[in-house]
Amino acid sequence: MPASSRRGALPATSMILFLAVLLLLQTVVRACLPLDGMNAGVTLNRGTHVCVVLSTPEWVDGTSNYSRLAFTPNVDKFARLQFSDTYSNVPTGGITDLYGPNVAVHVESMGVTSFQKLYRQEDPLGRTFPILTAIINLDRGVVTGITFDNGCVLCNNSDRCVENTYDFLGELYSGVGATSDCFLTDAECAANTQADPRACQLTVYVTWTGTDAKGNFLTSSSRRFSLFSSYSVNSYVNGLVKGVQDSVSLREE
């Protein structure tokens, strides 16, 4: 896949991109790597570099529109990154004006990149995949891979859960590591946002597995949603949403 550091950035015309720049200034990273360029030394309970990238699904060197938002969550905390300005302006264009009718999301950490997921999909129903869970794998403090959890438990493994893993050519990927996610239609999101403006906004959970630089085993991936019942997951997710007001928020548990 093309190196993310070569992507052509979108002109600074949106709040999302402004926040991306602001966060990158606060967390000095290059392609989600520290300045020394080393993928090493990731340690339990210490902050490390994690980036969430919103983009067009098909990447073309030098021309692709994207926004990279950088965070430093503490390793092995069950972290939630919520973006409360992603869905609210979809009916009038908003995020789809920036990236096109299909909006992809991927996660980067220490120079390692996940496959893509769709957050928005052009469809007669208009599909939104609002909740994604990334699993960052470490081997003695080195990030070796980033995968996504299977999100079907969020909709009781119904026909609302569909394949949702894409390569960087924008093609559906069904190989090793591919997972599915639950979607809501535009009609459902419109009804939900009347009750709560934060409904259908993008939320990315981050968990960890493997061993840190000191050999400690990481356990937060045991809290990923696919391991629990639909009832307990929905109660937990609803509880986390309450009280979130910032455009981008980080919460750790």
Side-chain angles (χ1 to χ4, degrees), residues 120-199:
R120 286 284 303 168
Q121 183 176 28
E122 185 178 33
D123 179 271
L125 296 174
R127 301 188 189 196
T128 296
F129 299 85
I131 299 177
L132 306 172
T133 301
I135 305 169
I136 300 177
N137 187 78
L138 299 180
D139 183 6
R140 297 291 299 189
V142 174
V143 176
T144 58
I146 304 173
T147 58
F148 282 97
D149 191 27
N150 193 312
C152 291
V153 68
L154 293 170
C155 52
N156 296 310
N157 296 288
S158 69
D159 57 4
R160 288 303 187 89
C161 195
V162 297
E163 293 182 1
N164 186 31
T165 305
Y166 291 80
D167 62 22
F168 284 83
L169 297 176
E171 299 293 332
L172 187 67
Y173 171 77
S174 58
V176 176
T179 55
S180 299
D181 295 292
C182 298
F183 68 87
L184 293 171
T185 67
D186 280 353
E188 291 167 334
C189 284
N192 291 343
T193 53
Q194 289 183 357
D196 186 342
R198 295 157 297 193

Side-chain angles (χ1 to χ4, degrees), residues 5 8 23 31 42 46 79 136 143 147-148 157 163 194 211 217 237 252-253:
S5 58
L23 288 165
V42 180
R46 292 179 58 184
I136 300 177
V143 176
T147 58
F148 282 97
N157 296 288
E163 293 182 1
Q194 289 183 357
T211 54
F217 285 93
V237 170
E252 298 177 336
E253 301 226 343

